[in-house]
Amino acid sequence: MNMDMTKNKKGSMDEWPEPIVRVQSLAESNLSFLPDRYIKPASLRPNTTEDAPAATNIPIIDLEGLFSEEGSSDDVIMAHISEACREWGFFQVVNHGVKPELMDAARENWREFFHMPVNAKETYSNSPRTYEGYGSRLGVTKGASLDWSDYYFLHLLPHHLKDFNKWPSFPPTIREVIGEYGKELVNLSGRIMRVLSTNLGLKDDKFQDAFGGENIGACLRVNYYPKCPRPELALGLSPHSDPGGMTILLPDDQVFGLQVRKNDTWITVKPHPHAFIVNIGDQIQILSNATYKSVEHRVIVNSNKERVSLAFFYNPKSDIPIQPLQELVSAHNPPLYPPMTFDQYRLFIRTQGPQGKSHVESHISPRPR
Ligand code: OGA
Ligand code: NI
């Protein structure tokens, strides 16, 4: 690569391809129309933006008793999780051990943050190089279609990436709440990872080891979806699968919005009170050699209610190669994916933006003939 190309490439990652417009600003200017950049082509528009979800819902799993001393109910819970990971890639968990007060505090602190004037938040404005901070787009393609949301992205782990200066300082309780929330979710993720390993007939720490043991990554993406003047033409977040290991989502307690792809329909998730929504990301699909599915999802918006959600991402250490586990492959069941580090892997969504499942589907090993 010659010097000029390096420079151009670097330049394109240090800044956005065009000035950033905050969706909050658009929403607050009471537009009666939707700006062109947010109008999706007909094939991507949501078929409905009604609040009432279909009767179908993703599985709800009660974790009460899991890993308890008695352990009597473990088999049933584990089988339920196993089926959810294979068939849905998504499930809700209740009795997960995280206090409801902490969940509400986390969501409401962030809601307060997003309610601050846009100007007060610009000091945290992010760039496509690290995505840390206050952002309003995913991907760096000039002229790309945009989603109806602002967000905040920060690192919780590893410790050397955790930087309080990149975390908001308002409201005054937010840093402490994020810290505590992060700790609890790292803990919960560790428990779920053990279930995922065991359910594949592996030692319970197998996935955790493959993720780099103690050195895993954890980050938080808080999504703010303002009211939208034409929700039937827009999306809050375009179809994508999560590039990381596993996601634990705290949805808004009042407003639906997340839709999960099941066969060829979009199912609107109806969150159970104080449940978390767990989903398999691309890295676990890869480790499991596609036994577990990283499933496409998207977010719809509406005209009379804003929505806030917290997506916690549990990721492999970013510089170790991730590939199907040796125990899960054989001559008859060859590895579907070549090794790739998460640092390399996530460049795709960071430059291209959300593109359905096209990344993991194109990340396939060449077949010997
Ligand atoms: C995400 C995501 C869903 C939501 O942040 O990756 O899918 O309901 N969020 O906000
Ligand atoms: Ni997602």
Side-chain angles (χ1 to χ4, degrees), residues 62-78 81 95-97 186-199 203-205:
D62 188 340
L63 297 185
E64 177 99 65
L66 190 66
F67 304 132
S68 72
E69 292 297 302
E70 301 84 50
S72 53
S73 54
D74 279 13
D75 289 354
V76 178
I77 304 174
M78 307 260 298
I81 295 177
N95 288 320
H96 40 62
V186 167
N187 204 323
L188 175 60
S189 301
R191 291 169 66 206
I192 299 174
M193 291 280 280
R194 291 210 293 281
V195 175
L196 300 186
S197 293
T198 311
N199 274 338
K203 277 179 50 202
D204 69 355
D205 55 3

Side-chain angles (χ1 to χ4, degrees), residues 39 43 73 89 103 117 128 144 148 155 157 186 192 196 255 284 325 333 346:
I39 300 180
S43 65
S73 54
M103 299 169 77
W148 193 261
H155 289 284
L157 285 176
V186 167
I192 299 174
L196 300 186
V255 188
I284 285 191
L325 292 169
N333 191 13
R346 71 176 156 197

Side-chain angles (χ1 to χ4, degrees), residues 215-282:
N215 302 312
I216 55 106
C219 31
L220 185 66
R221 177 183 153 109
V222 185
N223 299 295
Y224 178 61
Y225 305 98
K227 294 175 192 171
C228 178
R230 295 293 302 277
E232 74 284 9
L233 303 179
L235 285 172
L237 191 51
S238 286
H240 66 283
S241 61
D242 292 342
M246 180 174 76
T247 305
I248 301 187
L249 183 85
L250 174 60
D252 199 290
D253 55 339
Q254 303 293 324
V255 188
F256 300 136
L258 174 64
Q259 296 188 319
V260 173
R261 197 181 187 118
K262 179 71 172 160
N263 305 322
D264 276 331
T265 55
W266 291 100
I267 308 245
T268 304
V269 174
K270 182 172 188 288
H272 194 279
H274 290 115
F276 284 114
I277 299 168
V278 179
N279 70 279
I280 302 294
D282 294 349

Side-chain angles (χ1 to χ4, degrees), residues 85-90 280 285 290-295 357:
C85 294
R86 292 160 200 256
E87 301 296 322
W88 286 86
F90 263 87
I280 302 294
Q285 173 169 323
T291 298
Y292 293 154
K293 304 292 187 304
S294 168
V295 166
K357 281 209 70 171

